[in-house]
Amino acid sequence: MRRIIAEDLDWSLATVSSLSNLCLQCIVNNFEEKPIYEELTSSEKDFIQNRVSLSLPLHFAANVFPDGVYWKRRCEQKWKVCDVSNYGESWKRMFFERQLENIIELFVPGITEPKTVLDMVTLCKDHIKKLNIAQLLPPVKEPQTEDEEQATELTLENEDDKSGMDHFDFRILLDKLTNLEELHLVYKVKSCGMNFEWSMFEMTNRDCESLAKALKSCKTLKLFRLHLSHLEDKKCRLLVKYLLDHPSLRTLDFSHNVIGDSGARAIGKLLTKSKLEILNLYDNNIGGPGAKAIAHALSKNTTLVSLNLCLNRLNDEGGQAICKALLNNKTLLHLQLGANGVTWLTALSLSSVLAQNNTLKSINLSCNTLGEVGGNALEEAMSHNTSVTECNIHLTDIEERKVSVINQMVWNNQFRKQETSPREKNTENAN
Amino acid sequence: MEEADKVHEEAPEPPVLSDNQEDKKGASSFKGKEDPTEEGNEELKTKMQEEKKDVNKRIMSLQKRLTTLVTNIQTAADAKEMERRSGMEDNCRIRDERLKNDAKACQEKVEEIRKGWSIVNQKVVHSELQSVLDSQQQLCAAVIEDKKKLIRDLQQERRVKEDQYLKNLRRLDEEIKLMLDRMQQQFQNLSKAYSEELTQLQGVYQQEIEVLLAKDKAKLDKHMKEHWDTELESLMERRRMVEESEKTVHDVMLENTTKIKLMQLEENAKSQARLREQQQMKGKSVVLNLKQLEHGNKNAAYNAKLEEMKGKILGTSKEVKNLKTKYAKQKDKFMKQRQYLSEVHKRSRQHYERMQKEVRYTTAADARKFEEMWVMMEEEVTQLAEKALAIDSLICKHLGLAWERPSAAFMESPGPRRSQEHDTNPNSHLLQTRHPSHCSQRMMDASVGPSLERDSEHSTGVEEGELSSETLMKVMELLCDETGFLVEDKLRKLLVPMEKNEQTIVKLHSLFAVLGLKEKDLPKLLHEFLLMYERQQGERTEGAEAMENSATADSTSRLIKPNYVLPTLRRFLEQHRKRSSSHQQSSLSHPARDTSVEEAYWDRLGNIITEEKLKLWDAAERELKQYEEVLMDISVLVPETELLRQQNTELRMQLQQILSMLNSLWLSAEGREKKSRTRKSRPSTTTSSITQCSL
């Protein structure tokens, strides 16, 4: 003992790792050749997950390691910001989802082999629940250019060739992801810079068709969001046609598109047929007739909880139709009609709804010129209502005093609800 | 845009308000924290709930304010979008109108030009044509000018729009920056509020915890104190106990040491005494020696002797030790030997017993054998006698004398031994009694008589004793009184309080013990006395008449004289002693044989053939011998006759053969038969005589 210490000044007992640790280290070093994992204890598994090389081939690691430290390490190695709470606290899910998103976002039709996606899908099909695709690249005509910027540059030149502008075909992907629940899509190109071209921010007809078929094939999808993609009436109708009988879709988001009245009519039909709970048509081009169609569907619907029609062109025609439909609807909780150019007429009909409907919770009428009459009517209605806890009437030309009165009433409602809800909870617990 | 700005301006206000509120709340909460220790748990709880409510309210308002801010921004953006849209629509409309106007104007001008062209066609004159062309050209130029102007205007407009767009972008950028700043601020505000809330809550909880802790601590202290008190008490008690026990232990030790010391002292004293004795002895011897050596060299001798004596003492002490050890050894050895010897003794005793048993058995067996022998001999002898008698009778018969059987009864009777046996066996005795025999009867009388007599006497005595128990009692009393000198004084004293009967019984017991008698001898003794009493009666018959008048009650005193008591007792004792000794002898040795009887018996058997008879027998023998000689002669002749007879039979056979063969010779054969018959008659007589002789 003494001799050893004399020879090695840094020697100390603490640095001598135990035999088991050495064995585990050995396993770690030769993990790729001889993976020993399942037969170990949990602490030993942790040891291995903490130390095993991150450069292990994915197809190998995906089958060996369950969700845990290893995937955390891989995620943190790959991305700076990792918020696991958005992925159901599962590092593995996060890794695979983001990996697949990356692959799809960098997929260049015609150049990238679809096999790369399919390989990845075979590995991760059980783990993916949500796909948030922030860009979809258009194809490249000339094969010599490979990087993204050049590709977009080249597409500029070939803008006339519409048939060649198809994006990634989702049909090869969606029917294989058996656990997919959310799909966020944007047909756009990120940071295109001076190569801007409108066609970059559109989807083609064939894209639309393939996407619609893909969506139909994905039976587990609950949320579909297609925004900022210049969705027109025609394409909207096509998509809706394929979504009509979807068994699980609950949320549909077509915000920031250019859907007009005919698209709205199609969506109204969808409302009557499906079990949608949240419909978001924010920032579209829906006018009075489209709103009427939606209102007609709304008066019969019993599943929709939230309806967002902000930034459309409903005007009083559509607004009144929607409000009349609400007289027959007892399920809608959130209604947004902001910035729709409605006037006191709509306010009047809405106040008649508020006076007798006690299911609505939040209303948004901002950026509408309601005027004094509308303000009075709303004040009157709110004094009878107890359910509304949010009411946005900013910039509606109502007197400040009345706005504050209405706000106070809403505040009281909210507070009452806050107080009752824990009591209810308590009683429930007591029972 | 202005509205949006307004919103932006409005935005910073709420935090201030909230800050004020927070300050207020903080103050209230601080107020609430001052006296929580004195109040109970419930109050604390209610306070906590209120606090929570407050907190909730505040947080909610804060959140709402913040969300409203966000929604305000969004609504502002929406409004802007709306404005933009309306502006765009207006612009489009204006542009459209303008384009329409322009197109209309253009149309008019084009019409004009067209008209001009028709005029041109009409005009042939060059100058006119020239002027018309000029005007046309002017018109075209005007149109072009208009178009150019329009284009310029549009371009201008576009440029303006571009500038506007740029500005817009820049403003948006600024706004975004502002918004970011605001968000940052909001974030900070919120976090600040949260942190304040947190600290407050922490403070409250801290205080609560402190209160609880203080309470618990007090409780704990109390409990600990109690516990320590009890522990201390128990410790004190234990200490006391320990001290007590130590004391007792000390005392015990002291006692023990003193005892040991005392014992040691005693031992020392003893040893010293012994030493002293020894020394005295030594001194005596020394003195003696000194006296002896007084004449010689006193001092030297004394010294030498002293040393010698010392050595001797040592030697003796050693010797004593050796002897002691030897003694111990010897003792052990003797003990062992004793044990061994005792074992040997036991064994030998057992052996002896076995031997005795054997001897007894052998003696019994011998006796049996002897008796069997005797019986056999007797039988043999009687048989011999019978034989002799038979022979005698034969001889007598032969001689033609009248033979008398001498005392047949005696012959038939068994010997004395057998008769004794029969006597012990009652069944055989019964059988024996059927054949009356004088001899045996007599012998029996001789042998058994005395004992039978004694028995009968006994029985009569006993009967008498039983019958007159009163007299017996009296006799006993008398005996006790007369032999009172033999009873001890102590016993007598003890017997004073007892009843008379018991006294007599006890006295008798003691007396018997003294005299060496047993209780079963009592009847005998009494019988003796009664015998004596009878004798006395016999003596006294003459004087009975005179005594009749005296008191009848005192019969014993009248019947037995007290003076006779002692001599009779002595006599009885002597008799008893003799009897007991004889009895013992008889019990040990075999019953003595009555030799005289047997002698007589044997003599009689021996003399069963008298002298006269012997003489007669001698004479008869002599006669018979002579007759034998004659017979011998005859016997010599017999074979000859046999031979002859044989010849005769052979001849007869031949004759018969001849007869059978020759019937004619019948008569001659008859004659021959007569001859043979005569010959036959003679030998038959001789044989009969011989048989007579043999008999």
Coordinates of all heavy atoms in Angstrom, one line a residue, chain B residues 286-302 305:
Chain B
V286 N 14.8 -32.1 76.0 CA 16.0 -31.4 76.1 C 16.5 -31.3 77.6 O 17.7 -31.5 77.9 CB 15.8 -29.9 75.5 CG1 17.0 -29.0 76.0 CG2 15.7 -30.0 74.0
V287 N 15.5 -31.0 78.4 CA 15.9 -31.0 79.8 C 16.4 -32.3 80.3 O 17.5 -32.4 81.0 CB 14.6 -30.6 80.7 CG1 14.9 -30.9 82.1 CG2 14.3 -29.1 80.5
L288 N 15.7 -33.4 79.8 CA 16.2 -34.7 80.2 C 17.6 -34.9 79.7 O 18.5 -35.3 80.4 CB 15.3 -35.8 79.6 CG 14.0 -36.0 80.4 CD1 13.1 -36.9 79.6 CD2 14.4 -36.7 81.7
N289 N 17.8 -34.5 78.4 CA 19.1 -34.6 77.8 C 20.1 -33.8 78.5 O 21.2 -34.3 78.8 CB 19.0 -34.2 76.3 CG 18.4 -35.2 75.4 OD1 18.4 -36.4 75.8 ND2 17.9 -34.8 74.3
L290 N 19.6 -32.6 78.8 CA 20.5 -31.7 79.5 C 20.9 -32.3 80.9 O 22.1 -32.3 81.2 CB 19.8 -30.4 79.8 CG 20.0 -29.3 78.7 CD1 19.2 -28.1 79.0 CD2 21.4 -29.0 78.5
K291 N 19.9 -32.9 81.5 CA 20.2 -33.5 82.8 C 21.2 -34.6 82.6 O 22.1 -34.8 83.4 CB 18.9 -34.1 83.4 CG 18.2 -33.0 84.2 CD 16.9 -33.6 84.7 CE 16.1 -32.5 85.4 NZ 14.7 -32.9 85.6
Q292 N 21.0 -35.4 81.5 CA 21.9 -36.5 81.2 C 23.3 -35.9 80.9 O 24.3 -36.5 81.3 CB 21.4 -37.3 80.0 CG 20.3 -38.2 80.4 CD 19.8 -39.0 79.3 OE1 20.1 -38.7 78.1 NE2 18.9 -40.0 79.6
L293 N 23.3 -34.8 80.2 CA 24.5 -34.3 79.7 C 25.1 -33.3 80.6 O 26.1 -32.6 80.3 CB 24.4 -33.7 78.3 CG 24.2 -34.7 77.2 CD1 23.8 -33.9 75.9 CD2 25.4 -35.5 76.9
E294 N 24.4 -33.0 81.7 CA 24.9 -32.0 82.6 C 26.3 -32.3 83.0 O 27.1 -31.3 83.2 CB 24.0 -32.0 83.9 CG 23.2 -30.8 84.0 CD 22.3 -30.8 85.2 OE1 22.3 -31.8 85.9 OE2 21.5 -29.9 85.4
H295 N 26.7 -33.5 83.1 CA 28.0 -33.9 83.6 C 29.0 -33.5 82.5 O 30.1 -33.1 82.8 CB 28.1 -35.4 83.9 CG 27.1 -35.7 85.0 ND1 27.1 -35.3 86.3 CD2 25.9 -36.5 84.8 CE1 26.1 -35.8 86.9 NE2 25.3 -36.5 86.1
G296 N 28.7 -33.8 81.3 CA 29.6 -33.5 80.2 C 29.7 -32.1 79.8 O 29.3 -31.2 80.5
N297 N 30.0 -31.9 78.5 CA 30.1 -30.6 78.0 C 28.7 -30.0 77.7 O 28.1 -30.4 76.8 CB 30.9 -30.6 76.7 CG 31.5 -29.2 76.4 OD1 31.0 -28.2 77.0 ND2 32.4 -29.1 75.4
K298 N 28.3 -29.2 78.7 CA 26.9 -28.9 78.7 C 26.5 -28.0 77.5 O 25.6 -28.3 76.7 CB 26.6 -28.1 80.0 CG 26.0 -29.0 81.0 CD 25.6 -28.1 82.2 CE 25.3 -29.0 83.4 NZ 25.1 -28.2 84.6
N299 N 27.2 -27.0 77.3 CA 26.8 -26.0 76.3 C 26.9 -26.5 74.9 O 25.9 -26.4 74.1 CB 27.7 -24.7 76.3 CG 27.2 -23.8 77.4 OD1 26.0 -23.8 77.7 ND2 28.0 -23.0 77.9
A300 N 28.1 -27.1 74.6 CA 28.2 -27.7 73.2 C 27.2 -28.7 72.9 O 26.5 -28.7 71.8 CB 29.6 -28.3 73.0
A301 N 27.1 -29.6 73.9 CA 26.1 -30.7 73.7 C 24.7 -30.1 73.5 O 23.9 -30.6 72.7 CB 26.2 -31.6 74.9
Y302 N 24.5 -29.1 74.4 CA 23.2 -28.5 74.3 C 22.9 -27.9 72.9 O 21.8 -28.2 72.4 CB 23.1 -27.4 75.4 CG 21.8 -26.7 75.4 CD1 20.7 -27.3 76.0 CD2 21.7 -25.4 74.9 CE1 19.5 -26.6 76.0 CE2 20.5 -24.7 74.9 CZ 19.4 -25.3 75.5 OH 18.2 -24.7 75.5
K305 N 22.6 -30.6 70.5 CA 21.4 -31.3 70.6 C 20.2 -30.5 70.1 O 19.3 -31.0 69.5 CB 21.2 -31.6 72.1 CG 21.4 -33.1 72.2 CD 20.8 -33.7 73.4 CE 21.3 -35.2 73.3 NZ 21.4 -35.7 74.6

